[in-house]
Amino acid sequence: DTTGAQFAWDYDNGSVGKLVFGTQKANALVSIRSGGNGEAIAIDASQKVGIGTADMDGLVHIQSASAGAVSAHANADELVVENSAHSGITILAGATSTANVFFGDAGNSSEGAIYYINDGTTSSLNFQNEFGYINLLPSGGDAAAVGIGVSDPDVMLEVMMGASSEEILKLSRSATQYLELGVDAQATNNKGHLWFNGVSTMAFYAGGVAIGEAFAELGGANRIPADGAIIEGVLGVGTSVPEGKFHVV
């Protein structure tokens, strides 16, 4: 067969020319082999490229050894990295640079990202989308700090809420049994808040604590403790069945 392969120089291809190396036969495979006749690089008729394999699962398939009877998912087969044991991808960057993986669409090339930041002194791993980010940052020694919505957490876990949000942390046992912790979105309220099953139960002010739904919800100045605590209902000390507003046993 004298027309199966092609190796040519196309001088008239634009202004720079083109070196052509391939095959003219339908469904033929271009193969570059190394020592022992092993498959080094293969290109099939659908322009899939294989390194270490001629049986490509995706557009680019890099294989050290077969993982077995498994194929890449159709939604994530542009790049396939395969091995029979540990498998991975390494991103190397400069000593004071970032290593990045970006996620985008037709409207934005950076809708989300995973990036490792190294400024030469400290380092952090960040997960980010258009709404905010999660930051994993060493805080000294062997400890690490986690920031959600904040890039430089000051403590082991710091959560920065959105401007229109109050609830920050929610602990749930079911859809109707949950505890929430938050900070009022309006700066004029200036209080922390604790909700149980959606009902305000406790509010923390600069001057003290308000306990009970009526006092913990928004109210007038008489419901804001100046120094100490105010409680809606009754208070028992040493008893679970107080007989008056304040009962000490």
Side-chain angles (χ1 to χ4, degrees), residues 17 22 25 42 55 102 109 121 174 213 241:
K25 297 187 68 173
D55 184 18
F102 279 80
S109 62
T121 303
S174 68
E213 181 180 0
V241 286

Side-chain angles (χ1 to χ4, degrees), residues 52-53 55 57 61-72 80-88:
T53 180
D55 184 18
D57 286 347
H61 190 158
I62 302 172
Q63 177 179 298
S64 298
S66 175
V70 61
S71 298
V80 181
V81 178
E82 181 179 1
N83 193 13
S84 59
H86 301 300
S87 184

Side-chain angles (χ1 to χ4, degrees), residues 41-169:
I41 300 175
I43 306 173
D44 68 12
S46 60
Q47 287 77 56
K48 292 180 179 179
V49 179
I51 299 177
T53 180
D55 184 18
M56 288 77 81
D57 286 347
L59 186 62
V60 178
H61 190 158
I62 302 172
Q63 177 179 298
S64 298
S66 175
V70 61
S71 298
H73 195 283
N75 290 345
D77 63 355
E78 278 68 38
L79 173 62
V80 181
V81 178
E82 181 179 1
N83 193 13
S84 59
H86 301 300
S87 184
I89 300 173
T90 299
I91 300 177
L92 302 176
T96 58
S97 303
T98 63
N100 311 282
V101 178
F102 279 80
F103 307 90
D105 55 29
N108 188 349
S109 62
S110 56
E111 287 283 359
I114 301 173
Y115 51 97
Y116 174 79
I117 300 175
N118 183 5
D119 63 9
T121 303
T122 60
S123 60
S124 64
L125 182 63
N126 300 263
F127 303 83
Q128 183 173 352
N129 64 12
E130 59 179 318
F131 302 107
Y133 42 83
I134 298 176
N135 177 280
L136 306 180
L137 176 71
S139 60
D142 296 327
V146 178
I148 301 177
V150 57
S151 61
D152 54 348
D154 295 325
V155 293
M156 293 293 289
L157 173 62
E158 182 175 353
V159 182
M160 181 73 71
M161 68 178 185
S164 61
S165 301
E166 291 186 11
E167 298 86 348
I168 296 178
L169 177 65

